Amino acid sequence: GSHNSHMKLQEVEIRNKDLEGQLSEMEQRLEKSQSEQDAFRSNLKTLLEILDGKIFELTELRDNLAKLLECS
């Protein structure tokens, strides 16, 4: 009797440890994907800023070319 119930308790403990391991693994994956998402977002922001700069430069160039055309 008592030996059998002791085995069951050990099994439960082992299963708990297993679940805890799986849970912490999932948490780590979640944190990783979160930080990857943050990195992706900041890369996107940088890209947009660069693009804004390029658009500004191109607009300036276009205006200057239009002025040249008007003057000639």
Side-chain angles (χ1 to χ4, degrees):
S2 64
H3 183 72
N4 198 19
S5 65
H6 181 67
M7 280 298 294
K8 285 229 164 63
L9 187 62
Q10 259 185 333
E11 276 175 29
V12 169
E13 280 173 5
I14 288 166
R15 208 163 284 170
N16 273 352
K17 284 267 188 293
D18 197 39
L19 285 172
E20 279 171 17
Q22 285 179 25
L23 186 63
S24 69
E25 199 179 302
M26 282 171 71
E27 281 171 354
Q28 281 171 1
R29 271 193 209 157
L30 192 63
E31 277 174 25
K32 187 168 177 269
S33 72
Q34 194 73 45
S35 64
E36 279 172 2
Q37 213 170 13
D38 289 346
F40 177 71
R41 283 175 65 89
S42 69
N43 284 344
L44 213 53
K45 273 184 189 168
T46 304
L47 199 58
L48 280 170
E49 282 165 16
I50 291 168
L51 198 56
D52 284 340
K54 296 279 180 206
I55 289 168
F56 179 74
E57 285 170 22
L58 283 172
T59 305
E60 246 184 2
L61 181 63
R62 188 219 165 271
D63 291 348
N64 288 339
L65 289 173
K67 278 174 196 158
L68 271 176
L69 198 60
E70 284 165 21
C71 291
S72 59

